[in-house]
Amino acid sequence: MTVLYSIRMRAAQGGPHEQGGRHISGAERLVVPAAIAATVTGMVVRALHHSRGRADFINVTVEAVAPTAVRQVALLPVETVPVQDYHAGRAAALARLAAAGVAPAAADQALAALLVLNESMRGAMLVDASTGQRVDTYGQRGVRVTRMDISPDGEQVLRHALRRHGLDNDHVREALVLASKVVSAPGVLAELCWSDDPEYTAGYVATAAGYVRFPHLKPIGSGIGGRVVFLTSSKAAEKSVAYLQNQAVVVVPTADWHIAC
Ligand code: AMP
């Protein structure tokens, strides 16, 4: 089996993140050696031409992952719930979270925590699905989900299907891979996300049952996005964080994988 390389990029403006720089962009891939150079170049170009501003700090890490350490997980099926605006989108997203078993008060609290951010985080908040309390210790940085990608064959299948629905873009592809990893983590019940790209208003709720897109979860022009990962219990937090941050995952579409839009 070929060795895969984890490639991770984070970019900021006003200096490195750890010295107060404003987060501009991040990216995560897991690629074969022959794809390393092009992937790194693509990430650096993205950081320099981002709609959130031009990065003046770019950190790219390239690291081999032992083939035995890679786990395969299923690509989530995709569904779109049409909504008129972000008010309707948020109400529909809250209803999905509740249907997945997140306590309605906890979902409200998590949504409120995203709405009071005055700057985007780099990672996700981990929240107890019963109490709505934040359970990770990563503050404004959040927990960064890394070391995941789709299999090369899976990417062809995914892009072909997304193209037919006009959805073949980086946002959807990367979010689907990330969400497929997130809901495969121990102790994870659901994820809520919307982008920090000011031009991209869509977001999603993911559970083990699938990835549900809402075309509007924030107003156009807002550069503040975020992710909340709901855990079944705060006791699971350490295991969940270790998996999200370190477990190498290749996402693969199963034979019954589908998009319903
Ligand atoms: P994006 O979907 O890339 O626009 O990101 C939206 C928000 O999700 C960001 O502001 C971060 O808070 C969070 N985020 C982005 N990438 C990751 C990641 N790899 N792991 C955890 N959270 C992330």
Side-chain angles (χ1 to χ4, degrees):
M1 212 178 165
T2 330
V3 173
L4 294 177
Y5 281 76
S6 162
I7 308 184
R8 309 191 286 279
M9 182 277 285
R10 60 186 172 99
Q13 193 179 57
H17 297 89
E18 50 275 32
Q19 288 169 27
R22 177 176 162 266
H23 180 64
I24 293 292
S25 170
E28 317 288 335
R29 297 289 308 275
L30 204 51
V31 303
V32 293
I36 295 173
T39 305
V40 170
T41 304
M43 287 183 181
V44 172
V45 169
R46 182 205 280 214
L48 290 172
H49 300 280
H50 204 276
S51 57
R52 289 171 53 72
R54 179 185 271 255
D56 54 29
F57 169 85
I58 304 172
N59 178 301
V60 181
T61 303
V62 181
E63 197 175 37
V65 174
T68 49
V70 180
R71 187 177 158 193
Q72 284 203 353
V73 310
L75 178 65
L76 290 174
V78 183
E79 178 194 340
T80 295
V81 172
V83 287
Q84 287 293 325
D85 56 26
Y86 70 91
H87 300 291
R90 287 175 187 172
L94 289 174
R96 280 288 164 155
L97 289 169
V102 177
D108 286 346
Q109 200 169 319
L111 183 71
L114 285 181
L115 294 177
V116 296
L117 289 174
N118 48 23
E119 192 45 85
S120 275
M121 294 167 62
R122 215 165 98 207
M125 299 180 198
L126 265 56
V127 162
D128 185 312
S130 310
T131 65
Q133 294 292 314
R134 181 137 180 219
V135 296
D136 71 273
T137 54
Y138 288 80
Q140 175 62 25
R141 173 189 182 271
V143 174
R144 189 89 196 155
V145 186
T146 71
R147 297 175 174 82
M148 68 281 180
D149 212 327
I150 191 159
S151 63
D153 290 351
E155 184 173 359
Q156 300 309 316
V157 172
L158 174 63
R159 294 195 68 160
H160 180 73
L162 290 174
R163 216 174 294 131
R164 287 199 320 248
H165 296 278
L167 292 176
D168 186 24
N169 59 61
D170 289 349
H171 289 292
V172 176
R173 285 199 309 273
E174 291 177 6
L176 250 172
V177 171
L178 184 145
S180 300
K181 174 173 176 183
V182 167
V183 301
S184 74
V188 170
L189 187 61
E191 185 201 347
L192 167 69
C193 164
W194 66 77
S195 172
D196 54 22
D197 182 335
E199 291 153 19
Y200 191 74
T201 64
Y204 65 85
V205 168
T207 66
Y211 175 104
V212 182
R213 289 183 70 245
F214 306 94
H216 307 284
L217 277 190
K218 69 164 196 191
I220 188 99
S222 162
I224 302 185
R227 279 189 155 88
V228 178
V229 175
F230 293 92
L231 303 187
T232 45
S233 137
S234 50
K235 290 195 198 107
E238 234 170 83
K239 262 194 182 168
S240 313
V241 170
Y243 182 97
L244 294 172
Q245 294 195 141
N246 301 317
Q247 175 66 53
V249 163
V250 171
V251 176
V252 184
T254 52
D256 60 350
W257 178 80
H258 60 278
I259 301 186
C261 290

